[in-house]
Amino acid sequence: MDTLQHLTDGLVAALGWQNLVFALIGCVLGTLIGVLPGLGPAAGTAILIPLTFRLDPTGGLIMLSAIYYGAMYGGTITSVLINVPGEAASVVTCFDGYQMARQGRGGTALGIAAIGSFVGGMVATLALVVVAPPLARVALSFGPPEFFALMLVGLGLVTSLAGRSLLAGLAMAVLGLLIAMVGIDPVRGAPRFTFGIPSLYDGLGFIPVVMGLFGVAEILLTLESPTRQLVATKFTALLPSREEWRRSVGAISRGTGIGFVLGLIPGIGAIIPTFTAYVVEKRLSKTPEKFGQGAIEGVAAPETANNAYANAAMIPLLTLGIPSSPTIAVLMGAFIINGLTPGPFLFQERPDLVWTVIASFFLGNALLLILNLPLVGLWARLLHLPHQYVSVGTLLFCVLGAYSLQQNVFDIAVMIVCGIIGYGMRKIDLPIAPLVLGLILGPFIEKSLRTSLEMSGGDFSIFFTRPLCVALLVIGALILVASALRLAPAEVREARDAN
Amino acid sequence: MRRGWQVGCVCLLGVFAGALITSLSYSLSDNLGPGPGFFPFWLSVTGLALTGAILVQVTSGRLLADAPSDLWPGRQAALQGLAVIVALAAAAVLLEPLGFRLTLLPFVAGLLVALGARSWIAIALCAVGGSFGVFHVFYYWLMVPLPIGAFGI
């Protein structure tokens, strides 16, 4: 009953004209980010944070959330029309979406993607409403040791699923945690790694680091392959035919379930739900040979799963304070900039804000559908924009965003250095996600570790005498062991298989 | 790519070793429990161990055996990348003395030319819009404080 009342209040607040405008602007900007090449959702969300500096926290978070799921949808357009996924989660959509566009059915592909995204997003948000409050209540009983273990599990999940080497993922997570140590020690107030530079006393800004690692690095990479081939397609038939509807209904239902369930697990990332949904559809199909040739289920299922995942991934953030992906980490950064710490206490301290933001997800998903069906042609035309203008525009917003956070040019320098580092990491395929997650979770992990040890007088057994903490640590260890086996060098795998 | 990973590992070893040495100057523990140096110290140790293990794996060929070897960008992309970095650095240096508008005007125009744009009308429009236009929107409408330079612009 409480939940229903909160949700109703949230809906009333979200339906206020100001919040509606913020959601609308967010959806448009998010889709634009998704459409424009060289701008992923993490970088796009980060560079648009300055837009929200002077908004009230609720409006700002509504806009950023809308940017996030708008970007997740926008990536679909490039997947279908130019066979280039706007973001990693849209890779699978290329398989059949691009083929549909080549057959002159690009409009239908984008239409079913919009409808599937709408259904997946709405159902996942509804499930969020049901699941989040009890989960937050459970999390309220956690002490510092449990939070420490929980955050280790979250970080471990992200690390274990990133890149080609578990060790590299772990090293990047450790590097992220270490970078988070720069600045004033949150417990004792002593400066660390500041080297007498006043700008470092507040630590390295999360936003400049993310803008560098994602924004600047992506632009540098785009310069190496700037040409794209756009498929000419008609947008007269956006809605699927009766037969296509029949084939899509099951795919959309299953995609919703898969996306939602996998979205609850921190670190899964958006690629796994979309691939899983695609593989499941192919397995269940009576005509699997049509997959990869323009099967509408091959677009409907992953796109639905993608948006269901995107909305469900807000649950670990809002209830436990654990970001599931770099983009969610950017959103978490936006919460923190606004003086709010995502997690169970937020439901207690600012229920008005949390429920308004959650209610805005419903509106945002509806706005995306209303916007994207009629505007598909316009988005497609944006793909003709020469890459130079997109790249320079992105860099302009990077400078603006990095500077305006603290009105400090030092942050621009941080962004440039991180851009070069991010470019290098992307070139040699070192995973960036664990670094970003380590960076944002670092202060929380350190604080909960040190508070736990203060509680026990420096005795580490506190982590092994509390049942929930032990359970979480065991889960974390199992994840890392499973990942180590999955990513083991070839000869170890061969020996294991031989045995 | 293997050479890239080796270089990356050496850089990481340097970072972790530097962090380890620096963290030793902070107290690892005090009367309340772990001190400010506790977490950085153990993170540095862990980072060193992990990076060392990766370096051994890469050097012995157990990792990246199937990775592509050529990672260098073409000449044009390298020059354009350099132009981006130089332009960003120049913007960082000039932003406060010259102000947002006078810095971003040549930043946008110069970068567009460097990246291959050739329509002077489009370049001029983007430069003015990207400097004066963006300043107007953010400074006056969104009330985001942006620097005004020595010339009052």
Side-chain angles (χ1 to χ4, degrees):
Chain A
M1 193 58 210
D2 232 19
T3 302
L4 201 61
Q5 183 60 48
H6 282 311
L7 181 64
T8 312
D9 293 344
L11 269 172
V12 171
L15 278 167
W17 71 269
Q18 272 190 326
N19 288 336
L20 262 181
V21 170
F22 294 145
L24 181 69
I25 294 172
C27 285
V28 173
L29 290 176
T31 310
L32 188 67
I33 284 168
V35 170
L36 295 178
L39 253 187
T45 310
I47 67 169
L48 291 175
I49 283 182
L51 280 176
T52 65
F53 280 165
R54 296 291 152 167
L55 305 182
D56 72 295
T58 311
L61 292 171
I62 285 175
M63 192 196 281
L64 286 170
S65 307
I67 288 170
Y68 163 58
Y69 42 77
M72 299 299 272
Y73 173 76
T76 310
I77 298 171
T78 54
S79 297
V80 171
L81 296 183
I82 56 173
N83 204 21
V84 173
E87 30 87 29
S90 299
V91 170
V92 192
T93 309
C94 291
F95 301 162
D96 286 279
Y98 185 63
Q99 292 302 325
M100 285 179 75
R102 290 184 66 182
Q103 295 159 14
R105 296 157 61 214
T108 312
L110 292 172
I112 199 69
I115 294 163
S117 296
F118 171 74
V119 174
M122 287 301 233
V123 174
T125 306
L126 207 59
L128 186 158
V129 170
V130 176
V131 172
L135 198 57
R137 274 195 292 277
V138 171
L140 278 174
S141 63
F142 287 11
E146 284 79 19
F147 268 114
F148 172 71
L150 186 68
M151 281 185 267
L152 276 193
V153 170
L155 196 58
L157 269 165
V158 174
T159 303
S160 64
L161 291 164
R164 56 172 73 225
S165 157
L166 174 65
L167 290 180
L170 286 171
M172 289 300 106
V174 169
L175 182 65
L177 290 169
L178 202 54
I179 294 172
M181 300 297 107
V182 175
I184 302 288
D185 165 27
V187 181
R188 299 283 186 276
R192 291 184 301 194
F193 302 112
T194 51
F195 309 108
I197 302 169
S199 297
L200 286 177
Y201 277 61
D202 284 335
L204 285 177
F206 177 72
I207 298 303
V209 172
V210 172
M211 281 179 176
L213 289 175
F214 290 101
V216 176
E218 274 176 10
I219 296 303
L220 293 174
L221 285 168
T222 305
L223 297 175
E224 295 179 19
S225 51
T227 51
R228 293 162 285 139
Q229 191 65 49
L230 187 67
V231 170
T233 191
K234 289 177 184 169
F235 298 104
T236 45
L238 287 170
L239 293 177
S241 65
R242 188 184 290 267
E243 169 61 14
E244 285 172 327
W245 269 120
R246 194 188 58 74
R247 283 163 46 199
S248 301
V249 169
I252 288 174
S253 313
R254 286 182 287 272
T256 302
I258 291 167
F260 177 75
V261 171
L262 294 179
L264 294 174
I265 305 169
I268 280 286
I271 302 174
I272 293 176
T274 51
F275 264 95
T276 308
Y278 186 83
V279 170
V280 166
E281 283 316 305
K282 195 172 176 182
R283 289 265 165 85
L284 292 176
S285 174
K286 288 174 186 162
T287 53
E289 70 283 357
K290 287 189 179 168
F291 277 73
Q293 310 293 323
I296 196 161
E297 307 95 300
V299 176
E303 280 304 313
T304 308
N306 183 15
N307 220 32
Y309 161 83
N311 284 268
M314 299 298 278
I315 296 176
L317 175 72
L318 291 174
T319 58
L320 305 172
I322 294 181
S324 308
S325 67
T327 317
I328 300 270
V330 173
L331 277 180
M332 183 170 174
F335 272 85
I336 293 168
I337 288 170
N338 281 295
L340 305 158
T341 306
F345 295 105
L346 199 59
F347 275 86
Q348 272 196 331
E349 292 161 5
R350 293 296 307 272
D352 54 324
L353 180 139
V354 175
W355 285 102
T356 307
V357 172
I358 290 174
S360 79
F361 295 170
F362 288 110
L363 303 174
N365 277 299
L367 283 172
L368 267 182
L369 183 72
I370 296 165
L371 270 178
N372 285 325
L373 281 180
L375 292 184
V376 157
L378 175 71
W379 297 129
R381 273 202 288 281
L382 281 175
L383 292 172
H384 292 284
L385 257 179
H387 78 94
Q388 297 93 342
Y389 297 93
V390 178
S391 299
V392 174
T394 305
L395 292 169
L396 166 71
F397 271 87
C398 283
V399 171
L400 177 72
Y403 177 82
S404 56
L405 189 66
Q406 300 187 86
Q407 286 83 53
N408 191 346
V409 287
F410 183 78
D411 284 336
I412 303 178
V414 169
M415 182 191 73
I416 297 170
V417 172
C418 289
I420 296 168
I421 293 171
Y423 170 76
M425 288 175 70
R426 297 270 289 271
K427 285 293 280 187
I428 62 172
D429 203 14
L430 269 174
I432 293 180
L435 193 156
V436 173
L437 271 282
L439 180 61
I440 192 121
L441 288 179
F444 301 102
I445 291 180
E446 184 188 18
K447 199 171 178 188
S448 51
L449 170 71
R450 288 172 65 183
T451 313
S452 305
L453 289 176
E454 279 175 14
M455 284 164 60
S456 67
D459 186 358
F460 276 90
S461 67
I462 190 169
F463 296 108
F464 307 106
T465 50
R466 298 164 71 112
L468 186 58
C469 188
V470 172
L472 288 166
L473 288 174
V474 168
I475 291 170
L478 286 175
I479 290 163
L480 290 182
V481 169
S483 178
L485 293 175
R486 181 177 65 87
L487 293 169
E491 64 267 35
V492 177
R493 277 202 307 271
E494 281 163 17
R496 197 178 67 222
D497 293 344
N499 289 331
Chain B
M1 185 180 275
R2 182 186 294 186
R3 182 57 53 86
W5 274 62
Q6 285 171 329
V7 171
C9 284
V10 171
C11 292
L12 277 176
L13 283 174
V15 170
F16 287 129
L20 179 67
I21 293 164
T22 312
S23 67
L24 287 173
S25 62
Y26 313 131
S27 63
L28 294 183
S29 64
D30 54 29
N31 53 355
L32 286 173
F38 177 84
F39 207 47
F41 174 79
W42 286 109
L43 282 175
S44 307
V45 170
T46 312
L48 278 172
L50 287 167
T51 313
I54 299 167
L55 189 58
V56 170
Q57 277 192 349
V58 173
T59 307
S60 65
R62 284 194 295 157
L63 190 64
L64 304 172
D66 55 343
S69 54
D70 186 22
L71 291 170
W72 293 107
R75 183 182 149 78
Q76 192 189 5
L79 287 174
Q80 288 179 337
L82 192 64
V84 167
I85 299 299
V86 169
L88 286 172
V93 172
L94 298 173
L95 196 64
E96 287 187 335
L98 279 186
F100 182 87
R101 286 166 285 194
L102 287 187
T103 305
L104 271 290
L105 186 78
F107 173 87
V108 173
L111 262 184
L112 279 174
V113 173
L115 299 190
R118 291 293 172 260
S119 162
W120 289 105
I121 295 172
I123 291 169
L125 284 175
C126 286
V128 173
S131 52
F132 286 82
V134 167
F135 181 88
H136 194 85
V137 169
F138 276 82
Y139 192 83
Y140 293 109
W141 295 356
L142 296 170
M143 284 183 274
V144 173
L146 292 173
I148 293 170
F151 304 112
I153 300 173

